[in-house]
Amino acid sequence: MKLTELLVSIAIFLMASAVFASSLVNARSTIAKTEAASKKAVPTLEADALLRKEIRSFDVPYWKNFSTEFEAIKRTIFLFCAEKGIEAVSVSSVYNARNRMEGIKIEWKLNGKNYASQEFIKQRIAYEKL
């Protein structure tokens, strides 16, 4: 009787150890994949934040025509992207008719992938529901 109890205990211990070891291996591989994905995402997020910050820095008062000012802004953005090593594909103006907001959309490439960043010009936003 004692021998069978001992064998059953050893079998249960070995199965529990195998389950624990396999879950540990899976957890370590998942952590490694997550870390690699995070390292790839950081440059993309930094470039996006940099572009959005640059768009917000433009000061176009509400009394100026955004379309005429946009050409100068477009050239400035292309120069900024070239200085920072970001491959800008296109720069376009964006208009939200519902809220009468104007902004800029930049389509850019990083590591062979296409991205788009869009930001509205804060000075152009009119708050009508205050």
Side-chain angles (χ1 to χ4, degrees), residues 44-57:
T44 305
L45 294 174
E46 286 176 347
D48 182 61
L50 195 64
L51 291 172
R52 289 176 186 271
K53 184 178 178 182
E54 181 66 17
I55 293 171
R56 282 192 303 269
S57 72

Side-chain angles (χ1 to χ4, degrees), residues 14 16 28-29 44 57 79 82 90 95-98 115 120 129:
L14 289 175
R28 293 183 83 192
S29 67
T44 305
S57 72
L79 286 173
S90 70
Y95 181 72
N96 182 341
R98 180 175 171 237
Y115 300 99
F120 288 101
K129 300 178 183 179

Side-chain angles (χ1 to χ4, degrees), residues 71-126:
E71 289 304 317
I73 290 172
K74 187 176 180 178
R75 285 191 299 273
T76 306
I77 289 175
F78 275 119
L79 286 173
F80 177 78
C81 289
E83 289 174 359
K84 299 298 180 181
I86 300 169
E87 184 184 346
V89 176
S90 70
V91 178
S92 58
S93 63
V94 179
Y95 181 72
N96 182 341
R98 180 175 171 237
N99 296 325
R100 296 185 194 160
M101 295 187 301
E102 293 171 322
I104 298 171
K105 180 179 181 180
I106 304 172
E107 295 178 11
W108 50 284
K109 284 185 178 182
L110 187 68
N111 297 329
K113 292 186 180 180
N114 295 328
Y115 300 99
S117 299
Q118 178 178 319
E119 191 74 27
F120 288 101
I121 308 276
K122 62 183 172 184
Q123 291 86 353
R124 308 291 292 182
I125 299 173

Side-chain angles (χ1 to χ4, degrees), residues 13-30:
F13 177 75
L14 289 175
M15 284 192 289
S17 297
V19 168
F20 178 73
S22 67
S23 65
L24 185 63
V25 168
N26 286 338
R28 293 183 83 192
S29 67
T30 303

